[in-house]
């Protein structure tokens, strides 16, 4: 009998026990089993009892781990349709060509990865043959997030299918000529094949979850019924270490995304060695996913293990499998039968007796080859169970051997991720193992041949028939253009042309007001997807709550605390706003799914994602790169922008560098508008370019990044003829004369003041001070995009190398402007300095370099030397160097302004 004193207190102790005697009898029964049959038998009975309780709908906490065996017993496996032998031949050809492609490329030094696809071949092939739906059926098909390092196997299948040629395969990782194959899934590089870029590890699983969620969003909002689409994410067990890989597991289960399946290839190896050397990654992942509410299916052992499990009458084998650490399992895959007999079976007398019944060949078959992920029938059973499961997403933990079929030199070696080629002898061994009809004579000059059974062979016909039955080729990306969206009514944009009069309006509020008008548009309003990470009220978006609703698949099951207010928090199943909570990464994944719906589902959606500018590019720049690679379209809005506009928030909120990061992304059109009418002009043109009719030479597959500020200021009326300058990045806002500032001398010195964003307001004040106190005339320019000016100049430089004469726009705009140039920004000086080399005039700049700080706006600007008075001193210093004002004026100005 177990000592009652040894039983730990439980939360159940807080509940009244209506029948203590019955409870004691159950506890005594468990104690008796443990004493008579051992603790393992007692644990087995408890697990079976919990399973029965769950099956009967009795609410109990779920077990987080099950034994280290297949979830689906062999006896319960369904028969897979199709011709298994034919599928084996197809897989053999694909294995061969994947390895051949990488090996042939190694002579050029471009490398490639072989071992990943070798381990995962059946995980992909079973899906392609029986599950993955193409786009030719319902227009959407399934969404496949393919593990980046497995791309050679996908190319090999496309080659067998006739979608790629030998010439394509020989251009693997050699893209400069324009017809090569990218190393990994890159839609921008191979847009007809790849839909989703996945090689930045961790972003694939995160994006897959939000893609499945966005599919539900489209269906629930009545945009398009995509309920037949299933999202498949193929991942590595090592990849699951990335925090993004598991960041949204709870979201997927909370929203019941049974249209989502993760397939984790558990070959127990990372890039440099074991995943969990001293532990069990499969068990760890099972607990993690079960704890998050996912359906978990383990496919660990192949059919060769069936005999061993039948002989295991004591449970000793199952216990031993559970306790052996991953690194030791990897070692067994490379050692002989004698070692396995001693180290694995010899640890337990019952196992030692079991091993006597097994031949060495049987032991090696089990420990070297037989894994659940290498057998079509077991993979089919797991996939079928996954797509039929309702109410929660499914993860399949499939155990494989990294480098399977590539020979002893590859299989399970720690270095196999870095091994880029096989020798001719290794290829011949592989050929014999795969039973491929390739002769020694086909190895000419030591070059491994590609293999193909013929365009009209039974294998190719079978492959194409299976794909036709499933809706066409996969993976495949829709590339034909959609009909342009109707342009929104001009009045939505023109409303900003007249300015705000005496009313102070921050550009953040101006943008929100514009969106409020655009979402009401009868033609395109429903296609806007507002995305915000839990700061909607910060950005003044609460007025959108009751009119658009916040998306929730459950609708609103409670009475909101602010229901009696006009702008109450309204959730709805068909809600339009994605209010994501505190997750910039999740919000970006939303944006990516929405921004590529034009290709994924043939539905143009217009996402705008508004965020604290400090927490956008700095935190999720990798996803912005993913967005560009996936050819996403939409508007990123960095609100509360700049280093000095957030009073009191301090260092970690003061953004002085996001435009620098944005400038590195070729797909990002980065703007720092100063006025409301500039925002309206940029958004209107962005809608035309991305969703309407792009001009010749314009790439519609771009996204816009706008910085907007929380500093309420009077918004001026739009001057005439400035649209081109707004879009290209620079225009003259006023001159000293048009601004009405008085300069005493007719031949007064003159300077050109360039400013972006909120900095233009301090610059306008400086313009007045220069004229009234120092007799200096200045013209003020609005630099809406330093980055676009730089890109235009770079294109002009490239044209010059081709023998074409073209003047950069920034030089054209400033041509003839008198005096030096002083550029001012609320960002670090590196932002305006992007264009310095193309400005003919003397150049100087001011910016907010360094860390942010908590204080008033005025104090922060004085600290960074970007306020109006600092601009005046900098301008005078620049003019003094040219001999146009007295040097003493600089000292006098510093003293007058207390600098």
């Amino acid at each position: 009998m177990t000592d009652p004193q040894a039983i730990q207190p439980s939360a159940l102790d807080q509940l009244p026990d209506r029948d203590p005697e019955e409870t004691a009898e159950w506890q005594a029964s468990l104690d008796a089993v443990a004493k008579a049959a051992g603790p393992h038998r007692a644990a087995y009975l408890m697990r079976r009892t919990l399973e029965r309780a769950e099956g009967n709908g009795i609410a109990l906490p779920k077990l987080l781990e099950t034994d280290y065996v297949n979830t689906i017993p062999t006896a319960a496996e369904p028969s897979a349709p199709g011709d298994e032998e034919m599928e084996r031949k197809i897989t053999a050809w694909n294995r061969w060509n994947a390895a051949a492609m990488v090996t042939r490329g190694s002579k050029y030094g471009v490398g490639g990865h072989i071992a990943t696809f070798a381990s995962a071949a059946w995980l992909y092939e079973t899906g392609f043959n029986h599950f993955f739906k193409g786009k030719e059926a319902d227009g959407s098909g399934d969404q496949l997030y393919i593990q980046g390092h497995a791309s050679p196997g996908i190319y090999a299948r496309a080659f067998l299918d006739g979608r790629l040629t030998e010439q394509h395969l020989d251009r693997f990782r050699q893209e400069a000529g324009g017809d090569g194959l990218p190393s990994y899934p890159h839609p921008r590089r191979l847009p007809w094949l790849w839909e989703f870029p996945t090689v930045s590890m961790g972003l694939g699983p995160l994006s897959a979850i939000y893609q499945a969620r966005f599919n539900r969003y489209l269906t629930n909002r009545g945009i398009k019924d995509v309920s037949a689409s299933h999202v498949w994410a193929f991942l590595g067990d090592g990849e699951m270490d990335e925090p993004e890989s598991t960041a949204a597991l709870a979201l997927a289960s909370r929203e019941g995304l049974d249209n989502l399946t993760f397939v984790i290839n558990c070959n127990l190896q990372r890039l440099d060695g074991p995943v969990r050397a001293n532990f069990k990654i499969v068990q760890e992942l099972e607990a993690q996913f079960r704890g998050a509410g996912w359906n978990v299916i383990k496919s660990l052992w192949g059919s060769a293990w069936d005999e061993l499990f039948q002989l295991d009458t004591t449970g000793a084998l199952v216990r031993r499998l559970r306790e052996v650490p991953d690194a030791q399992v990897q070692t067994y895959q490379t050692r002989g039968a004698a070692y396995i007999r001693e180290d694995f079976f010899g640890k337990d007398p019952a196992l030692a007796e079991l091993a006597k019944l097994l031949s060495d060949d049987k032991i090696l078959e089990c420990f070297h080859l037989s894994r659940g992920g290498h057998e079509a029938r077991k993979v089919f059973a797991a996939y079928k169970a996954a797509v039929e499961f309702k109410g929660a997403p499914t993860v399949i933990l499939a155990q494989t051997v990294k480098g399977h079929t590539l020979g002893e030199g590859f299989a399970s070696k720690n270095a196999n991720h870095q091994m880029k080629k096989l020798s001719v002898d290794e290829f011949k061994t592989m050929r014999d193992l795969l039973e491929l009809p390739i002769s020694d004579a086909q190895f000419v000059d030591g070059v491994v041949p590609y293999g193909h059974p013929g365009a009209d062979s039974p294998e190719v016909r079978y492959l194409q028939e299976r794909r036709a039955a499933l809706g066409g080729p996969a993976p495949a990306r829709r590339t034909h253009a959609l009909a342009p969206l109707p342009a929104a009514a001009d009045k939505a944009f023109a409303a900003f042309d007249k300015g705000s009069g005496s009313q102070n309006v921050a550009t953040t509020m101006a943008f929100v007001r514009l969106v409020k008008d655009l979402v009401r548009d009868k033609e395109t309003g429903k296609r806007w997807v507002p995305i915000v990470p839990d700061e909607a009220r910060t950005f003044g978006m609460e007025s959108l709550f009751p009119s658009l609703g916040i998306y929730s698949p459950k609708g609103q099951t409670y009475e909101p605390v602010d229901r009696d207010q006009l702008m109450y928090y309204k959730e709805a199943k068909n809600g339009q706003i994605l209010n994501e909570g505190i997750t910039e990464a999740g919000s970006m994944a939303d944006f990516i799914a929405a921004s590529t719906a034009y290709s994924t589902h043939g539905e143009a959606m217009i996402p705008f994602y508004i965020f604290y500018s400090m927490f956008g590019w700095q935190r999720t720049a990798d996803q912005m790169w993913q967005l560009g690679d996936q050819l996403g379209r939409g508007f990123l809005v960095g609100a509360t922008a700049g280093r000095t506009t957030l009073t009191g928030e301090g260092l970690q909120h003061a953004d002085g560098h996001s435009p620098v990061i944005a400038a590195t992304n070729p797909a990002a059109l980065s703007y720092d508008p100063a006025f409301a009418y500039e925002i309206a002009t940029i958004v209107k043109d962005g809608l035309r370019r991305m969703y309407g009719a792009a001009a010749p030479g314009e790439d519609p597959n771009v996204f816009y990044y706008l910085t907007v500020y929380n500093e309420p200021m009077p918004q001026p009326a739009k001057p005439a003829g400035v649209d081109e300058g707004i879009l290209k990045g620079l225009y003259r806002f006023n001159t000293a004369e048009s601004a009405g500032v008085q300069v005493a001398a007719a031949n007064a010195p003159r300077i050109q003041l360039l400013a972006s964003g909120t900095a233009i307001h301090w610059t306008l004040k400086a313009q007045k001070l220069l004229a009234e106190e120092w007799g200096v005339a200045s013209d003020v320019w609005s630099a809406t995009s330093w980055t676009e000016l730089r890109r235009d100049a770079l294109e002009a430089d490239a044209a010059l190398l081709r023998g074409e004469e073209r003047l950069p726009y920034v030089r054209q705009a400033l041509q003839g402007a008198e005096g030096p140039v002083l550029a001012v920004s609320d960002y670090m000086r590196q932002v305006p300095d992007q264009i310095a080399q193309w400005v003919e005039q003397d150049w100087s700049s001011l910016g907010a370099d360094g860390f942010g700080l908590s204080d008033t706006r005025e104090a922060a600007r004085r600290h960074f030397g970007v306020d109006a008075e600092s601009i005046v001193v900098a301008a005078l210093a620049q003019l003094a160097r040219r001999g146009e004002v007295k040097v003493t004026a600089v000292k006098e100005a510093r003293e007058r302004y207390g600098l």
Side-chain angles (χ1 to χ4, degrees):
M1 189 78 174
T2 303
D3 180 3
Q5 300 301 319
I7 299 176
Q8 297 297 312
S10 165
L12 292 176
D13 293 341
Q14 301 177 54
L15 303 177
D17 189 345
R18 66 180 186 183
D19 192 341
E21 186 176 344
E22 181 184 36
T23 302
E25 289 175 357
W26 277 81
Q27 292 172 336
S29 297
L30 180 63
D31 293 340
V33 171
K35 183 177 181 180
H40 300 300
R41 177 60 181 172
Y44 176 82
L45 290 176
M46 287 300 299
R47 287 199 302 271
R48 296 310 296 264
T49 301
L50 287 172
E51 289 172 1
R52 176 59 62 90
E54 183 178 344
N56 288 337
I58 299 173
L60 287 172
K62 294 184 179 180
L63 290 171
L64 293 185
E65 289 185 37
T66 60
D67 284 324
Y68 203 69
V69 296
N70 296 346
T71 302
I72 304 173
T74 301
E77 291 171 0
S79 297
D83 187 331
E84 187 172 335
E85 176 59 22
M86 188 64 70
E87 292 174 15
R88 185 198 65 78
K89 291 180 180 179
I90 291 170
T91 304
W93 285 117
N94 292 339
R95 287 182 180 278
W96 177 272
N97 288 321
M101 174 176 61
V102 175
T103 298
R104 286 167 68 123
S106 65
K107 68 180 179 181
Y108 302 108
V110 294
H113 300 288
I114 303 176
T116 294
F117 178 73
S119 68
W122 276 113
L123 301 179
Y124 290 106
E125 291 299 321
T126 302
F128 284 127
N129 288 327
H130 301 289
F131 291 95
F132 303 157
K133 296 185 287 293
K135 292 185 179 297
E136 293 175 4
D138 63 4
S140 291
D142 287 354
Q143 288 79 59
L144 309 180
Y145 288 76
I146 289 169
Q147 197 177 0
H149 295 137
S151 62
I154 309 305
Y155 290 140
R157 192 169 220 275
F159 169 62
L160 203 65
D161 195 13
R163 294 199 287 165
L164 292 175
T165 66
E166 286 192 14
Q167 288 70 35
H168 286 119
L169 300 191
D170 267 343
R171 297 283 296 170
F172 176 60
R173 290 192 170 191
Q174 299 172 68
E175 300 177 78
D179 60 348
L181 300 180
S183 51
Y184 304 121
H186 285 305
R188 188 168 286 276
R189 290 300 186 198
L190 200 62
W192 60 267
L193 180 71
W194 297 119
E195 265 196 301
F196 307 107
T198 55
V199 81
S200 190
M201 292 188 184
L203 299 191
L206 180 67
S207 294
I209 290 173
Y210 280 89
Q211 180 66 57
R213 196 279 198 92
F214 191 73
N215 289 358
R216 291 281 173 84
Y217 173 89
L218 288 176
T219 300
N220 289 339
R221 287 198 54 221
I223 302 293
K224 182 179 181 181
D225 184 357
V226 295
S227 54
S229 290
H230 199 89
V231 178
W232 300 82
F234 287 84
L235 317 167
D237 47 0
E239 182 179 4
M240 300 310 294
D241 285 345
E242 291 285 4
E244 295 88 351
S245 294
T246 56
L249 298 187
L251 167 73
S253 60
R254 184 169 66 243
E255 298 203 0
L257 298 181
D258 49 26
N259 59 339
L260 171 68
T261 297
F262 275 17
V263 181
I264 302 180
N265 178 14
C266 299
N267 54 39
L268 313 185
Q269 287 187 250
R270 291 190 300 226
L271 307 186
D272 287 332
V275 177
R276 292 289 184 273
N278 293 303
F279 305 95
K280 307 287 284 184
I281 184 60
V282 170
Q283 301 299 94
E284 178 182 318
L285 291 175
E286 179 183 27
Q288 194 169 13
F289 278 87
R290 282 185 181 274
W294 286 52
N295 175 43
V296 179
I297 299 174
K298 293 196 287 192
S299 184
L300 307 180
W301 307 111
S303 55
W305 283 82
D306 289 348
E307 179 183 344
L308 275 68
F309 288 124
Q310 290 173 0
L311 294 172
D312 181 32
T313 58
T314 65
L317 176 62
V318 173
R319 292 195 297 275
R320 180 66 177 140
L321 288 173
R322 186 165 180 164
E323 70 186 18
V324 176
D326 283 352
Q328 192 64 21
V329 173
Q330 183 185 349
T331 298
Y332 293 150
Q333 291 165 181
T334 64
R335 298 298 177 89
Y339 178 88
I340 298 171
R341 284 183 186 277
E342 178 181 351
D343 192 86
F344 181 83
F345 292 98
K347 302 294 185 182
D348 186 299
L351 283 182
E353 290 300 313
L354 187 154
K356 293 177 182 178
L357 305 175
L358 306 175
S359 67
D360 285 354
D361 287 344
K362 182 65 176 181
I363 289 175
L364 294 179
E365 180 187 13
C366 289
F367 284 83
H368 285 190
L369 303 173
S370 187
R371 299 291 184 273
H374 294 324
E375 294 189 14
R377 179 172 176 174
K378 295 193 180 295
V379 175
F380 179 88
Y383 285 6
K384 187 173 186 293
V387 297
E388 291 177 353
F389 189 86
K390 299 303 176 186
T394 293
V395 59
I396 295 170
L397 304 174
Q399 188 166 228
T400 65
V401 175
K402 194 168 186 177
H404 183 58
T405 74
L406 297 180
E408 294 181 359
F410 259 87
S412 291
K413 300 297 184 183
N414 280 343
N416 61 19
H417 184 77
Q418 301 301 326
M419 298 163 69
K420 310 300 183 186
K421 61 183 178 179
L422 279 72
S423 68
V424 169
D425 287 341
E426 287 172 325
F427 265 109
K428 290 178 178 179
T429 300
M430 180 182 177
R431 170 201 62 189
D432 296 340
L433 176 65
L434 298 176
E435 300 178 353
L436 291 172
I438 297 173
S439 67
D440 288 354
Q442 291 176 260
F443 291 81
V444 179
D445 297 327
V447 177
V448 58
Y450 292 120
H452 200 294
D456 196 41
S457 65
E459 293 96 326
V460 173
R461 288 201 306 272
Y462 181 89
L463 183 155
Q464 294 175 340
E465 288 168 1
R466 292 304 311 141
R467 290 310 317 155
L470 288 166
R477 181 180 176 276
R478 178 186 286 102
T479 56
H480 57 271
L482 299 179
L485 290 181
D490 278 341
K491 65 179 182 180
F493 306 101
F496 296 87
D497 292 352
K498 62 183 180 181
S500 65
S502 60
Q503 181 185 6
N504 290 333
V505 178
T507 51
T508 296
M509 183 56 65
F511 177 83
V512 172
R513 287 182 183 178
L514 175 61
V515 170
K516 284 170 64 177
D517 290 338
L518 293 174
V519 296
R520 294 191 185 103
D521 186 87
K522 292 182 180 180
E523 294 288 341
T524 59
K526 68 178 183 179
R527 297 191 176 275
W528 283 86
V529 183
I531 303 168
V532 59
D534 202 43
E535 292 271 12
R537 297 183 189 277
T538 300
F539 308 135
M541 292 175 60
E542 63 268 29
S543 62
L544 298 178
F545 289 169
S547 58
L548 301 184
I550 299 164
Y551 173 74
S552 171
K554 292 182 178 294
Q556 192 148 35
T557 61
Y558 61 93
E559 182 178 356
V561 67
D562 54 359
R563 181 64 181 87
D564 57 339
Q565 298 178 18
L566 182 62
M567 293 181 287
Y568 71 95
Y569 197 87
K570 176 187 175 183
E571 296 189 65
K573 190 173 182 179
N574 63 346
Q576 193 164 349
I577 301 170
L578 292 172
N579 196 7
E580 285 306 346
I582 305 176
T583 169
E584 286 82 6
S587 299
M588 267 307 301
D590 266 336
F591 188 92
I592 292 169
S595 71
T596 53
Y598 73 92
S599 174
T600 307
H601 295 299
E603 295 289 342
M605 304 300 289
I606 311 171
F608 82 86
Y609 164 34
I610 188 167
F611 49 88
Y612 253 109
S613 79
M614 184 67 165
F615 307 137
W617 287 87
Q618 173 172 296
R619 188 168 289 181
T620 56
D622 196 13
Q623 287 177 286
M624 274 78 163
W625 200 269
Q626 178 190 11
L627 167 65
D629 200 3
Q630 201 167 316
L631 290 78
R633 306 170 183 175
F635 297 95
L636 296 177
V637 184
T640 58
R643 184 146 276 167
T644 69
T645 61
L646 276 169
T647 55
E649 291 285 4
L651 184 152
Q652 292 193 2
H653 284 67
D655 179 17
H657 52 277
S658 286
V660 178
I661 307 174
T664 66
N665 192 312
L669 276 63
S670 179
Y671 287 90
D672 188 21
F675 304 122
Y677 67 77
E678 292 177 352
I679 292 172
T681 302
I682 294 164
V683 171
K684 181 179 180 180
D685 195 68
L687 290 171
R688 174 200 61 79
R689 176 171 178 172
M690 296 185 292
Y691 300 97
E698 277 188 328
D699 182 4
N701 299 314
V702 295
F703 60 93
Y704 283 66
Y705 172 55
L706 283 75
T707 55
V708 294
Y709 298 81
N710 70 328
E711 187 168 14
M713 301 293 287
Q715 295 297 322
K718 182 178 181 180
V722 297
D723 282 16
E724 180 185 29
I726 291 173
L727 298 175
K728 289 192 172 181
L730 182 68
Y731 68 95
R732 182 157 23 205
F733 176 71
N734 70 19
T735 63
E737 294 74 18
S738 67
V741 293
Q742 300 299 315
V743 182
N747 59 345
R750 184 175 288 267
I751 189 169
Q752 307 299 318
L753 302 177
L754 280 57
S756 65
T758 197
I760 204 165
H761 299 289
W762 334 320
T763 306
L764 289 169
K765 180 180 177 182
Q767 180 188 42
K768 185 176 181 181
L769 290 174
L770 282 167
E772 294 178 353
E773 300 186 12
W774 305 99
V776 173
S778 57
D779 302 338
V780 174
W781 300 68
S782 179
T784 54
S785 179
W786 310 101
T787 301
E788 287 307 296
L789 290 172
R790 174 180 174 80
R791 287 176 178 168
D792 172 81
L794 289 172
E795 290 172 7
D797 287 354
L800 187 63
L801 292 176
R802 299 191 299 267
E804 305 169 16
E805 291 287 343
R806 186 167 78 77
L807 206 60
Y809 176 79
V810 63
R811 188 165 293 177
Q812 294 177 46
L814 291 171
Q815 204 163 38
E818 297 178 36
V821 168
L822 174 61
V824 187
S825 168
D826 200 26
Y827 289 92
M828 52 199 301
R829 289 175 60 181
Q830 186 175 341
V831 176
D833 284 350
Q834 291 180 87
I835 66 170
Q837 72 183 81
W838 292 281
V839 174
E840 291 183 312
Q841 293 87 344
D842 289 344
W843 174 271
S844 184
S845 63
L846 295 175
D849 284 78
F851 290 110
L853 76 166
S854 300
D855 214 313
T856 64
R857 293 187 179 112
E858 292 76 15
R861 285 164 190 165
R862 177 57 57 91
H863 170 82
F864 287 110
V866 294
D867 60 349
E869 292 77 10
S870 298
I871 294 172
V872 170
V873 173
L876 292 174
Q878 200 171 0
L879 291 167
R881 286 193 296 270
R882 294 163 56 92
E884 297 182 28
V885 300
K886 294 179 180 179
V887 174
T888 55
V890 181
K891 182 174 183 294
E892 182 184 346
R894 280 202 301 267
E895 292 174 350
R896 180 181 302 183
Y897 300 136
L899 297 182

